[in-house]
Structures are given as structure tokens and as C-alpha cells.
Amino acid sequence: MKRVLRSFGAGIKSMHMRLLLGLALGWIAIVCVLLVAAWFSGQRQIREVNDNHLKYEARLIAEQVDQELSLRLDALQRLGDTLDPVMADDPAYARAKLAQNDVLLELFDALMVADGNGHVVSRWPEPQTPRRVDISDRMYFQFISSVERPYISEPFVGHFSHTPLIMLGTPLKDSDGQFVGMLGGVINVLKGSLFDRLRHIRIGSEGYASIITASGRVLVHPQSNWILKSAPSAEQNPWLDLALSGWEGTALGPIADGSMALQAYEQVWPANWVVGVFLPSDQAYAPLEWFVRHLWLVGSVTVLVMLALLWWLLHQALRPLHRLERQIEAVGQGYRDFVDVNTRALEIQRVADTFNRMASSRRETETRLHDRQAFLDAVLASSPVGMFVYNLDGEIRYVNPAMIELTGYSLDQFRDKGHAERAHPDDRDDVADLWRSSLMSGRDFQRQYRYLKANGEVIWVEVHASLVRLETGLPLGFVGTLKDITEHQQVAALQRWEAEHDPLTGLLNRRGFERRLEEALADWVKGRVPAALILFDLDHFKPINDEGGHALGDEMLKMIADTIGTRVRKSDFLARYGGDEFAVLMPGCGLEQARQTAEALRRAVETLSVSHDGATYRVTLSLGVTDLRSGDSNSDHPMRRADRASYLAKEGGRNRIVVTDD
């Protein structure tokens, strides 16, 4: 299997096979496009034809049902006109009139007369076991008695037959126009002639028609077990749900069994019914599938014939190219100086001429490159700065002696693991990502990072590598330098520390503290990370400086800095904010915890003392406590609240804590 794959891969690399494969893919693409176009165009046309057909069928059925219902209502109306309203509640009279019109049983399964109170006076044909029936609670009777118009009822179970029925009813009125009863015609849903004919309607081999009441009860369906069941839900058939709300039209969607079908809906407004006609999509698109399947077969045969013809034509056209290939190989091995292809193919002759010019130019270039290489080697070897060369694939090709001396690694060791991989573990991922980006984009690589020397020593280095291009603009590789900047980094780190720390106490100064407060405020705004702030100055500190001198004051300040440093968390930030004013920032801390910390600071500091000339001096703290609030847009807001609270503590008698909660 592997041998077959290798042979196939080698064949694909040839121009002959590539041209043949390209043409084959082109023909296949054309055939596929034609098939797809035929499929979608056929689908659209079949959909249009079937939509029109189904809509026509649904309209015919709806009109037929409408006519059948109108015929039955008219017949009832004519029979009602012949009844004497005064005698309508007389069972004998009503029975006789119904018997005289038993021809209506061609339209109805039963006829009935009810009085104004909803009691059935007479029914024809008469039931085998006559009994008094009250229909006053039936919806159809309540509608006819109140609205006094003909009405077609919802399906219900009959008192006598115990089967699903539909009642067509018309009101009976006396000479004054008062309602005195109703005349009704009963249609059996399961056996009635009206519904029986509709159940046998078929659209093709699998399509069918159905009638559903607006309330969602199935009246007609080819499967009898669906009769009087609730119609499928909106999730099962959303188009039917729209039709039950009065919509008419055609659609493609799921039906009750989950399959897709073309659907058409028409309303039977007098009965408030919906006629639905359904055609499974498999049946609708079956002719199209047959056509596309045969079209695919014809297209496949055409592609195979064209490929065979194209293979032969390409083989004949590329024979001079094979001769050129053999001669170029001979030039590369030193058996020939130039190629000489005798062919009428203008393109191949141009390639041969271009190759001959390139071969002549290459010999001249090689001579110049040897001279340049010797000069470059001398320059790199004498440079006091570490230098290296990488090719475009990221493989190191050269390191000069200065770089070997600086890092302790030889060229072979660098080839085994590049200098970017010698970075400190904390910097290695960033350096590797930037180096890969430079290799792919050709941009300069410039970075300062920690570097692991061969002896295990960690130094800071600055690396700068640039892409080198030939005169033609063709990229050649990367040349870079590596410098030891450890001393510079140490000096810079010390300068950064001194810029943000108080030299007397070692605590943060105002600048360092405000930067931490801004960072805490940013965390609060972005992620609602709480933080508390304690601001305090020293009570009775002035006498220490005035009487004992600044040296005694400095001693007290250092004692206070050491003391409060042991009373806060390692994650808190302490600062000598200025003079005898101190601040504590407590990230992730609430007001109550900050108040407890402030109390611990107050108690610890009031026990401290310094002595001078027999006099003992003590200080106390006036502390203001606050936290970050939703209205804080910069660090001045919480600082002003804490400063105001500290002032209130001092005004309130000193040596106390004031917590701002407003």
C-alpha cells in the first residue's frame, strides 16, 4: 500500500500528471456544477409545479366541501320553512314531517328537531330505544339559540350512536321571529358519505388530503386512527399551525411523522375548517433524482473519454521537455556545459536559452561568492560582539568566536538547540513566539531577555536579528547580534526601585503608592475586585523633631515602618506618603477587615517610644479608613475620603479610627 502511495505521489509531481489532473478536476468541476445547477433548478421547477398543483387540489376540495355543506344547509333551511313553528314541539307532528323528508338521508345520517329548551322532540330514523335527550348544553344549540343563524358544529359524540358526529343546524322561529327550536342534520364523521369520499382522495401514490377544524381536531385523514385526534403541534408542523390561524398557501416542511412534505392549505370559512393537501418530498423529487442520477452517469463517461484523449495529447506535447530534463541533469553533473534542444516548441526553446544564460551567470557568481565568503568570515571572526546567522527555515548556520565565548556553547550545541531555546524558562515562550513571527514575516527580531549560559549562569542579553536580502531582493537569511546587558539591567532595576521607594523607611513613596492605587482602581472598575485604603498621620510627632532633632524623628519613623509592616498582609502595600503621613492599600479587602487592621496598627504604634536627654516621646495614630466605590473615577476620590476621615479622627481627639461609609 505504501509503495502504491509513493508511486502515486511521484506521478503527481510530474507536469504531465499535473496538467492531466488539472484538466480532470476542471471537467469534474464542470460536471458537478451542471449537476448541482440541474438539481437546484429542477427542485425549483418541481416545487413551483407541485405548489400550483397542490394549491389547485386544495382549492377544489375546499370548494367541494363548501358546496356540499351549502347544499345541506339549504336543504335544512327549506325543510325548516315547511315546519309549523306552533307544532314544532309536538313529537308526532315533527316525526311525520321528518319521515316525509327522509330523502334528505341521502345528505345526512340522521335528522332531528329540538324545542326552544334544547329537548330533542323527534329524531329520524327513530332510535331503537327512544329516550329523552337534552342538548341544551351542546355548543351548537347554544350558538343557534343565541345567534339564530345556521351553524356547523365541532365534532362531538352522539347520544344514540356513540360515534363522532357533525351537526348542521338551522333555527326555527315563530311568526314573531322568536326562537322556538332548531332543525338539525347529523353527519357521521367515520361513515358519512361526505367525509368518506374525501378520505379516498390521493395525490400520487403517497399524497393525501386532510380536513382539520380550526380548533385542531382531525375530521378527515386516510388513516382512521387520526380521526378526532388533535392536530400535530406547532413544533411538529408549523405551517399547519399557521393555517389553523387562518393562513392559506403552500409550503415545504415537516409533518406529523417527522418526514418532509409539500403542503397546501385552504380555508372552508362557513364551517371554520382547514383543508390540507400533503405530498411527501421523496415522491415529489423522485423524477428529478432519476434524471440527475443518469446525468451523472453520462458525465462520468464523458470525463473518462476526455481524460484518455488528453493523456495522449499531453504525452506527445511534453516529449521535448523530457529531453530538456535529461540535458539539464547532465549539466548539473558536469558532463555538459550547455543544453541544446532541437524542438519547434517555442516555450521549451526559451526555457533552454534561459537556462544557458543562467548557467553562464552562475559560474561568474560562484567566483564572486567565494571571495565575499572569505571576507565575511574574517569580519565575523574578528568582531568583539556575539554574532550568528540563521537560514530562512530557522536553522542556525554560523556563530562567531565572540558568541561562543560569551555563551559557552559551540556551533554544534546551537544546532542541537537554538539560542532562543536557551532563554530563561519564564521568558522562553515569549522569545520563541517572537522568533517564529520574525521567521514568517521577515520583520526584525529585537528583544531583551534572560539567558542561560552553559555554566548555568543567568545573564541579561539584548538580541537583534535582521533579514538579509540579495541584490535582487530575494531573502537569504537572518544575521543577528547578542550583547550582554546584565550590568545595565541591574542599574536600571535599582533606579526603578529608588524611584518608587522612600530611602529612610524602605516603604513605597507617594509615586509608587499612587501607581498601585491606580492599578487597584482599574481592577475594581473592570472586575469589581474590592480594595480598602487606610490613611494616617502621627499625633504629637512635631515635638520629637523640635526637641530631639531630625535624627530622633527618623528613628521614630523607621520604628513605625517596621511595626506596621508586621501587622499587615504580604499582599498589602505600605507607603510613607509624605513627612509623617502613611498609607496602606489592602487589595481584596472590605471595610470591616480594614478597620480591624487599622485598630491593630493604632494599638501597636501607641506602645512605641523614643528617648532623648531623659525625656520619652510617644506618638499615636489618627486613621481614616475607606474603600473603593462605584463613583471613583480616579485615585483622588478614595484618597480625599480617607484624608477627610483621618482629619475627623484628629479633630475628634486623636488616637482613633474613622471609617467612611457614605
Side-chain angles (χ1 to χ4, degrees):
M1 184 65 183
K2 292 182 179 179
R3 184 178 300 175
V4 173
L5 292 176
R6 283 197 299 269
S7 300
F8 178 76
I12 290 299
K13 293 179 181 179
S14 69
M15 183 181 294
H16 187 184
M17 291 301 298
R18 288 185 179 184
L19 289 173
L20 186 63
L21 182 60
L23 292 171
L25 292 176
W27 276 100
I28 292 174
I30 292 174
V31 171
C32 290
V33 168
L34 291 175
L35 289 173
V36 171
W39 173 257
F40 284 104
S41 175
Q43 274 191 326
R44 185 172 61 254
Q45 294 179 5
I46 288 178
R47 175 72 184 276
E48 291 176 358
V49 171
N50 281 287
D51 280 352
N52 292 332
H53 175 64
L54 294 180
K55 188 174 182 180
Y56 175 73
E57 290 287 344
R59 186 182 300 114
L60 284 182
I61 295 173
E63 291 175 354
Q64 178 186 354
V65 172
D66 191 7
Q67 293 173 1
E68 293 284 350
L69 294 175
S70 298
L71 173 65
R72 285 162 173 76
L73 287 175
D74 291 344
L76 286 177
Q77 190 68 46
R78 288 194 297 272
L79 176 58
D81 293 340
T82 64
L83 292 177
D84 185 353
V86 178
M87 300 293 293
D89 57 356
D90 183 355
Y93 173 78
R95 186 183 308 109
K97 293 296 291 183
L98 294 178
Q100 292 174 5
N101 291 272
D102 62 352
V103 68
L104 294 181
L105 295 181
E106 293 293 327
L107 302 177
F108 300 99
D109 294 292
L111 300 171
M112 56 83 69
V113 177
D115 60 20
N117 295 321
H119 297 128
V120 176
V121 176
S122 180
R123 184 181 184 280
W124 188 263
E126 292 183 311
Q128 296 179 353
T129 56
R131 58 188 176 90
R132 188 175 182 82
V133 177
D134 184 0
I135 63 171
S136 60
D137 60 338
R138 297 286 191 180
M139 179 63 72
Y140 61 82
F141 180 80
Q142 294 175 359
F143 180 89
I144 293 174
S145 62
S146 59
V147 181
E148 300 182 3
R149 286 193 295 104
Y151 181 70
I152 301 173
S153 75
E154 288 288 311
F156 63 93
V157 177
H159 288 290
F160 297 103
S161 62
H162 303 292
T163 58
L165 307 173
I166 295 292
M167 175 67 74
L168 278 68
T170 185
L172 298 177
K173 301 180 182 180
D174 59 15
S175 58
D176 296 328
Q178 298 296 319
F179 177 78
V180 296
M182 68 161 282
L183 173 64
V186 179
I187 298 177
N188 190 313
V189 175
L190 296 177
K191 300 179 180 179
S193 59
L194 171 62
F195 297 116
D196 186 61
R197 287 195 299 272
L198 296 175
R199 275 194 297 271
H200 290 84
I201 293 177
R202 289 291 181 273
I203 311 298
S205 60
E206 300 179 16
Y208 61 91
S210 179
I211 296 180
I212 306 98
T213 67
S215 62
R217 303 287 295 280
V218 178
L219 289 177
V220 175
H221 196 279
Q223 299 178 10
S224 59
N225 59 331
W226 271 96
I227 305 301
L228 292 192
K229 282 189 175 181
S230 297
S233 63
E235 290 76 13
Q236 293 175 303
N237 191 336
W239 300 107
L240 175 57
D241 186 65
L242 284 176
L244 295 178
S245 301
W247 173 75
E248 294 180 327
T250 59
L252 173 63
I255 55 179
D257 61 1
S259 61
M260 300 296 290
L262 298 174
Q263 311 171 37
Y265 296 96
E266 288 288 334
Q267 302 288 333
V268 182
W269 297 111
N272 209 15
W273 294 348
V274 178
V275 173
V277 179
F278 306 90
L279 180 64
S281 57
D282 292 342
Q283 176 184 337
Y285 296 129
L288 177 61
E289 292 177 356
W290 180 91
F291 173 75
V292 171
R293 197 161 47 244
H294 285 73
L295 186 61
W296 168 253
L297 179 61
V298 172
S300 300
V301 173
T302 302
V303 168
L304 292 175
V305 172
M306 290 300 298
L307 285 179
L309 179 60
L310 289 171
W311 183 90
W312 183 81
L313 291 175
L314 288 174
H315 179 73
Q316 296 299 318
L318 294 177
R319 289 180 65 184
L321 190 60
H322 296 318
R323 292 198 301 272
L324 177 62
E325 176 189 1
R326 291 191 294 271
Q327 291 189 19
I328 290 176
E329 184 178 2
V331 171
Q333 294 174 353
Y335 300 131
R336 300 176 63 102
D337 292 330
F338 299 99
V339 297
D340 183 15
V341 180
N342 185 15
T343 177
R344 288 194 295 266
L346 182 61
E347 292 81 3
I348 296 177
Q349 187 61 54
R350 286 177 178 176
V351 171
D353 294 341
T354 301
F355 178 82
N356 288 333
R357 288 194 298 270
M358 289 294 296
S360 177
S361 176
R362 185 187 65 176
R363 285 191 291 271
E364 297 176 1
T365 302
E366 286 177 349
T367 302
R368 291 196 300 270
L369 284 178
H370 284 307
D371 296 339
R372 290 184 180 182
Q373 184 65 42
F375 175 76
L376 179 61
D377 290 343
V379 171
L380 293 177
S382 62
S383 173
V385 179
M387 302 187 71
F388 58 88
V389 176
Y390 272 83
N391 64 17
L392 295 175
D393 295 328
E395 298 176 353
I396 194 163
R397 310 300 298 174
Y398 174 83
V399 291
N400 70 344
M403 184 165 175
I404 294 175
E405 181 180 357
L406 173 62
T407 63
Y409 299 112
S410 65
L411 177 58
D412 291 338
Q413 289 175 311
F414 275 117
R415 286 175 174 171
D416 180 58
K417 184 184 293 186
H419 76 270
E421 299 177 5
R422 308 284 184 181
H424 189 277
D426 293 341
D427 300 335
R428 190 169 299 155
D429 290 341
D430 291 341
V431 172
D433 289 343
L434 182 59
W435 179 238
R436 283 193 293 268
S437 176
S438 297
L439 288 174
M440 290 186 293
S441 63
R443 293 192 296 267
D444 284 5
F445 174 93
Q446 188 167 4
R447 183 66 182 263
Q448 296 178 355
Y449 58 90
R450 289 164 292 180
Y451 193 90
L452 296 176
K453 296 177 62 174
N455 60 5
E457 180 185 356
V458 177
I459 61 173
W460 276 91
V461 297
E462 181 179 58
V463 178
H464 187 190
S466 300
L467 181 65
V468 178
R469 297 179 181 274
L470 297 174
E471 294 178 356
T472 60
L474 185 69
L476 184 62
F478 285 85
V479 174
T481 61
L482 184 143
K483 300 178 183 179
D484 184 353
I485 59 169
T486 304
E487 183 177 353
H488 172 75
Q489 288 293 112
Q490 291 172 347
V491 172
L494 179 59
Q495 291 174 345
R496 287 195 298 270
W497 189 93
E498 291 175 344
E500 292 191 345
H501 288 78
D502 175 45
L504 176 64
T505 62
L507 302 180
L508 291 171
N509 59 18
R510 176 190 292 266
R511 177 182 176 183
F513 184 79
E514 288 181 348
R515 184 171 69 82
R516 271 70 171 186
L517 182 56
E518 289 289 350
E519 292 173 353
L521 185 60
D523 292 339
W524 164 253
V525 172
K526 292 179 181 178
R528 284 297 185 261
V529 179
L533 175 64
I534 303 174
L535 190 66
F536 61 88
D537 57 9
L538 308 183
D539 305 325
H540 315 297
F541 182 70
K542 189 173 185 299
I544 298 176
N545 273 336
D546 293 345
E547 300 174 14
H550 287 288
L552 188 63
D554 290 347
E555 182 182 352
M556 174 58 80
L557 291 174
K558 287 190 286 185
M559 289 176 59
I560 292 172
D562 294 339
T563 301
I564 64 177
T566 62
R567 299 301 193 279
V568 297
R569 305 171 303 177
K570 291 183 178 180
S571 59
D572 297 336
F573 299 104
L574 306 180
R576 182 186 176 195
Y577 203 66
D580 62 344
E581 189 175 13
F582 291 79
V584 183
L585 176 61
M586 305 179 69
C589 178
L591 274 178
E592 178 56 26
Q593 185 177 353
R595 187 197 65 76
Q596 295 175 7
T597 302
E599 178 63 21
L601 298 180
R602 187 191 66 79
R603 290 179 179 179
V605 171
E606 69 179 357
T607 64
L608 302 178
S609 64
V610 292
S611 300
H612 179 71
D613 290 341
T616 300
Y617 300 92
R618 298 180 184 275
V619 295
T620 58
L621 304 183
S622 295
L623 302 101
V625 181
T626 187
D627 61 351
L628 299 184
R629 309 285 174 81
S630 58
D632 294 340
S633 59
N634 56 60
S635 60
D636 289 341
H637 294 163
M639 287 298 297
R640 283 199 295 267
R641 286 199 303 274
D643 185 61
R644 186 170 62 252
S646 175
Y647 176 78
L648 293 175
K650 190 176 289 293
E651 287 291 313
R654 296 185 174 87
N655 196 22
R656 63 186 60 218
I657 301 168
V658 173
V659 180
T660 62
D661 54 3
D662 56 352

